[in-house]
Amino acid sequence: MRLAFISDIHGNANALEAVLEDIEERNIDKVYVLGDICYRGPEPKRSLDIVKSLNTEVIKGNADEWLIRGVRKGEVPEQALNMMNLERDWALTLLDETDINYLKGLPTKMSLEFDGQKIVAFHATPNSLFDVVVPSEEDSIIQESLIIDESADVFIYAHIHKPYIRYIKGKCVINTGSVGMPFDGLAKSSYAIVNIQNGNIHTTIVRVTFDIEQVVSKFQESDYPNKDLMINILKNGELPK
């Protein structure tokens, strides 16, 4: 069973289409979505419609929660709060009530089992949509934060936009990275594949090229309130220093 896990699309429908095309070429059996579908990109509605068309399991991310109820004080740096809510307001003008209700109804975790191998997936941590667990954390922190079910074999999360795979005391921990907004300095989409065959597990991080200039043009043609920052992130594959 070949499984693909994608996340952090952030309204970048072009990147999402490129990733789904790559997934189709690899003969993946099933695709799962780990949240952050619409917010902070030029095409929130098209991104959400594509995700819905997959007819698959989808969980909620922090950016989905922000679309539902706004960005609150203490969740982002103080100087970014007003702008991020302006970005949210912009996205809401392109979404309808059905879209918001869809995001509201998303669960926050998924549990899968194939050929005796159990996979637990969530957006940031099992207990939070907002907590940050970075690739450089000590094993003990990752264990305490992410490995909450000793019966599971693989733990998959997203949120940090920096993909990695680690093995800690017999457990596999995977971060998918981001489809639409990578932060690791490589301006290519990222997703994870888990291949389970005869009780064996093979894991892979895949990087996919998408047409960055086309996405930049969509930002430039729009009245998106924070387009310069978003274009900078897209072109460099990381947050500004």
Side-chain angles (χ1 to χ4, degrees), residues 125-143:
T125 71
N127 300 312
S128 169
L129 295 176
F130 299 94
D131 289 346
V132 174
V133 181
V134 298
S136 58
E137 290 285 13
E138 295 182 2
D139 285 2
S140 60
I141 299 297
I142 290 181
Q143 280 185 275

Side-chain angles (χ1 to χ4, degrees), residues 46-97:
R46 191 159 80 91
S47 299
L48 183 56
D49 286 347
I50 293 171
V51 167
K52 287 179 177 179
S53 75
L54 297 175
N55 294 315
T56 190
E57 290 185 54
V58 182
I59 58 175
K60 185 188 294 182
N62 62 297
D64 306 312
E65 183 69 10
W66 280 338
L67 274 177
I68 294 164
R69 49 78 161 168
V71 186
R72 295 174 181 169
K73 189 172 182 177
E75 292 177 341
V76 298
E78 186 68 28
Q79 66 271 22
L81 181 62
N82 288 339
M83 179 56 76
M84 290 185 71
N85 273 313
L86 286 174
E87 292 176 73
R88 174 203 179 237
D89 292 344
W90 182 88
L92 287 178
T93 66
L94 301 175
L95 301 173
D96 57 34
E97 186 177 357

Side-chain angles (χ1 to χ4, degrees), residues 168-188:
I168 300 173
K169 294 191 174 179
K171 306 296 183 182
C172 179
V173 176
I174 304 172
N175 189 281
T176 64
S178 173
V179 168
M181 197 188 300
F183 285 172
D184 64 346
L186 180 59
K188 294 184 178 183

Side-chain angles (χ1 to χ4, degrees), residues 14-216:
N14 284 68
L16 177 56
E17 286 177 330
V19 164
L20 292 175
E21 183 178 338
D22 188 84
I23 285 171
E24 184 174 1
E25 290 173 356
R26 293 174 188 270
N27 296 315
I28 298 297
D29 296 301
K30 189 75 174 177
V31 181
Y32 298 95
V33 184
L34 305 190
D36 282 9
I37 301 165
C38 308
Y39 176 58
R40 302 205 92 182
E43 295 188 282
K45 176 69 172 176
R46 191 159 80 91
S47 299
L48 183 56
D49 286 347
I50 293 171
V51 167
K52 287 179 177 179
S53 75
L54 297 175
N55 294 315
T56 190
E57 290 185 54
V58 182
I59 58 175
K60 185 188 294 182
N62 62 297
D64 306 312
E65 183 69 10
W66 280 338
L67 274 177
I68 294 164
R69 49 78 161 168
V71 186
R72 295 174 181 169
K73 189 172 182 177
E75 292 177 341
V76 298
E78 186 68 28
Q79 66 271 22
L81 181 62
N82 288 339
M83 179 56 76
M84 290 185 71
N85 273 313
L86 286 174
E87 292 176 73
R88 174 203 179 237
D89 292 344
W90 182 88
L92 287 178
T93 66
L94 301 175
L95 301 173
D96 57 34
E97 186 177 357
T98 301
D99 298 324
I100 298 303
N101 286 336
Y102 173 85
L103 296 176
K104 282 181 182 178
L106 292 177
T108 57
K109 291 191 283 287
M110 68 173 71
S111 183
L112 312 167
E113 190 164 346
F114 298 95
D115 198 15
Q117 305 301 304
K118 185 175 179 181
I119 300 170
V120 176
F122 38 84
H123 182 72
T125 71
N127 300 312
S128 169
L129 295 176
F130 299 94
D131 289 346
V132 174
V133 181
V134 298
S136 58
E137 290 285 13
E138 295 182 2
D139 285 2
S140 60
I141 299 297
I142 290 181
Q143 280 185 275
E144 292 169 10
S145 304
L146 305 178
I147 301 176
I148 61 160
D149 182 353
E150 284 299 322
S151 69
D153 304 284
V154 182
F155 298 82
I156 307 179
Y157 76 115
H159 188 49
I160 60 173
H161 298 213
K162 295 182 178 183
Y164 73 91
I165 299 173
R166 278 171 70 174
Y167 289 86
I168 300 173
K169 294 191 174 179
K171 306 296 183 182
C172 179
V173 176
I174 304 172
N175 189 281
T176 64
S178 173
V179 168
M181 197 188 300
F183 285 172
D184 64 346
L186 180 59
K188 294 184 178 183
S189 297
S190 176
Y191 74 96
I193 294 175
V194 178
N195 186 9
I196 300 173
Q197 300 289 340
N198 300 319
N200 300 318
I201 301 175
H202 177 76
T203 59
T204 310
I205 298 293
V206 182
R207 304 307 293 258
V208 179
T209 300
F210 65 94
D211 191 337
I212 292 174
E213 289 306 319
Q214 195 172 79
V215 184
V216 168

